[in-house]
Amino acid sequence: MSTNAELIEIGPDQVDQHVRDGWTLLDVRTDGEWAGGRIDGSVLLPLDQLIARLDEVPDKVVCVCAVGARSAQAAMFLAAQGRQAVNLAGGVHGWVGAGHPLTR
């Protein structure tokens, strides 16, 4: 997944505003990670399926993974494809560390 896009990151406390503004939380973790806990309202699209399922990705997404590395790759790839995409810095671990809940 090669890109020339610049990575834009947001913190956990910025997620709600993005969602209110119509952004989709796109979780790029595996099915097993997703089942273990996710941010409420997020949509699962594992990173290894992103290219094949690109047409399913909304125009504005906040990419999420466990710690922010895979979602950073996804955000840069999606930005290079013309989507508005940002990365949740710290991923789900950062989300929980900031005091936010997970849904199971």
Side-chain angles (χ1 to χ4, degrees):
M1 221 180 271
S2 175
T3 69
N4 290 327
E6 180 179 335
L7 179 62
I8 299 171
E9 294 192 303
I10 65 169
D13 294 334
Q14 296 171 290
V15 169
D16 284 344
Q17 184 61 52
H18 276 72
V19 170
R20 281 193 297 274
D21 290 343
W23 292 64
T24 298
L25 293 174
L26 186 69
D27 194 320
V28 299
R29 296 177 301 152
T30 65
D31 292 333
E33 289 172 304
W34 167 265
R38 61 193 167 275
I39 299 172
D40 190 40
S42 61
V43 175
L44 178 65
L45 180 55
L47 183 62
D48 64 356
Q49 299 175 23
L50 186 60
I51 293 172
R53 296 174 56 191
L54 183 59
D55 60 334
E56 298 176 34
V57 178
D59 290 332
K60 300 189 302 186
V61 294
V62 176
C63 297
V64 180
C65 71
V67 297
R70 287 173 287 174
S71 54
Q73 291 177 345
M76 289 189 309
F77 171 74
L78 292 169
Q81 304 307 307
R83 304 296 202 288
Q84 292 182 53
V86 298
N87 184 44
L88 175 58
V92 170
H93 291 283
W95 176 262
V96 172
H100 300 288
L102 293 181
T103 297
R104 295 196 190 322

